[in-house]
Amino acid sequence: MTSALKPLVLIVEDETDLVTLLRYNLEKEGFRTIAAGDGEEAILLANEQTPHLVLLDLMLPLLSGMEVCRQIRRNTKTRDIPIIMLTARGEEADRVRGLNCGADDYLTKPFSPTELVARIRAVLRRASPGLAEETLRFDDVVMDLAGHRVRRNGRDVHLGPTEFRLLRHFMQHPGRVFSREQLLDVVWGHDVYVEPRTVDVHIRRLRKALNEDDETDLIRTVRSAGYALDVRSPATA
Ligand code: CA
């Protein structure tokens, strides 16, 4: 897997030894990691980097894990990021409140690295199917992420880097409609200014590369909303 495809995990924990251990174990398993030592830094990093998952300790300086969880859920940019809460033994009541405030799962300390990685993969699979996989499939399209190759119906499909990223995003979220602005954010990045119209140009190129003569158009245009990867394209477009 190339680094851009590895899921990014934000570790929020004030015990530096545990942070070191967590980073070591997660990076060994193919994740990228960033870390925050207090609640305020956690909010900042979550907003700036939009990680794929947050590992959130409950007891933190400045802002409690519970408050961090609430703020992540309140912000439209971060509200869909899965959160795994880390709790100490005897914090059962907090655990329930943690799940109530929007955490997806929790782990009680001490936990084994194997258990942690299994939980992270399970939560990621639910939240963004395909993210942790190396090969994506949709209908007759196969995307080999490691080899950077796309095939449809057995033939090679040649895509430019932007079309490749667009298709990867669609294949990671089949059936979901994305606005031009959302596609700009995930494919071009937050800091680049690109006209929303540019998305249409690249969608056209993607369609042209992907669809041969009598093949179904897999990209559905949703009027005034955006685009989706969908097999029902011809009937509903
Ligand atoms: Ca702590």
Side-chain angles (χ1 to χ4, degrees):
M1 246 190 256
T2 61
S3 71
L5 305 172
K6 293 178 178 179
L8 179 65
V9 177
L10 167 60
I11 300 167
V12 187
E13 169 63 82
D14 55 322
E15 290 163 53
T16 51
D17 288 353
L18 185 52
V19 173
T20 308
L21 188 74
L22 289 172
R23 295 191 83 154
Y24 171 79
N25 280 294
L26 292 182
E27 284 170 16
K28 203 174 59 157
E29 292 293 328
F31 297 94
R32 288 175 298 143
T33 63
I34 43 175
D38 65 64
E40 287 183 357
E41 196 189 357
I43 301 285
L44 279 175
L45 275 181
N47 193 47
E48 267 174 29
Q49 311 267 332
T50 48
H52 295 101
L53 183 137
V54 179
L55 211 50
L56 180 60
D57 185 37
L58 203 55
M59 304 292 277
L60 290 170
L62 301 181
L63 278 181
S64 72
M66 214 71 81
E67 186 51 33
V68 172
C69 184
R70 269 193 287 270
Q71 292 202 24
I72 287 177
R73 286 290 173 261
R74 263 204 298 268
N75 180 343
T76 50
K77 197 172 157 193
T78 57
R79 71 174 171 214
D80 295 328
I81 300 174
I83 297 173
I84 297 180
M85 204 72 111
L86 304 180
T87 62
R89 246 180 238 293
E91 292 177 336
E92 262 72 24
D94 288 335
R95 178 182 305 168
V96 173
R97 278 165 53 212
L99 292 174
N100 283 342
C101 85
D104 297 82
D105 201 356
Y106 63 85
L107 263 176
T108 307
K109 294 177 185 175
F111 47 80
S112 74
T114 317
E115 187 183 5
L116 173 69
V117 169
R119 295 287 192 94
I120 290 179
R121 288 202 203 283
V123 169
L124 278 180
R125 257 197 303 274
R126 283 202 301 271
S128 20
L131 182 72
E133 315 296 333
E134 296 213 8
T135 305
L136 300 175
R137 282 165 212 280
F138 183 81
D139 200 51
D140 52 2
V141 180
V142 181
M143 246 187 139
D144 169 9
L145 297 180
H148 230 262
R149 277 163 52 122
V150 180
R151 294 174 76 81
R152 180 165 192 193
N153 229 337
R155 74 184 152 82
D156 281 316
V157 175
H158 301 284
L159 298 178
T162 305
E163 288 74 39
F164 188 89
R165 286 200 296 274
L166 265 174
L167 181 62
R168 182 178 71 206
H169 187 67
F170 281 129
M171 290 193 57
Q172 284 169 341
H173 310 276
R176 239 174 87 182
V177 180
F178 293 97
S179 69
R180 289 170 180 79
E181 288 72 21
Q182 283 171 323
L183 292 172
L184 280 176
D185 254 17
V186 292
V187 176
W188 280 263
H190 303 296
D191 306 322
V192 186
Y193 181 74
V194 185
E195 292 240 11
R197 206 177 277 267
T198 309
V199 175
D200 300 339
V201 174
H202 289 277
I203 291 280
R204 254 199 312 275
R205 285 190 198 155
L206 177 59
R207 275 189 166 130
K208 197 160 172 256
L210 212 51
N211 308 328
E212 260 191 2
D213 306 331
D214 53 351
E215 286 174 337
T216 314
D217 185 3
L218 299 176
I219 316 269
R220 179 160 62 103
T221 304
V222 184
R223 197 164 302 159
S224 75
Y227 297 100
L229 187 70
D230 212 322
V231 271
R232 290 164 293 137
S233 309
T236 52

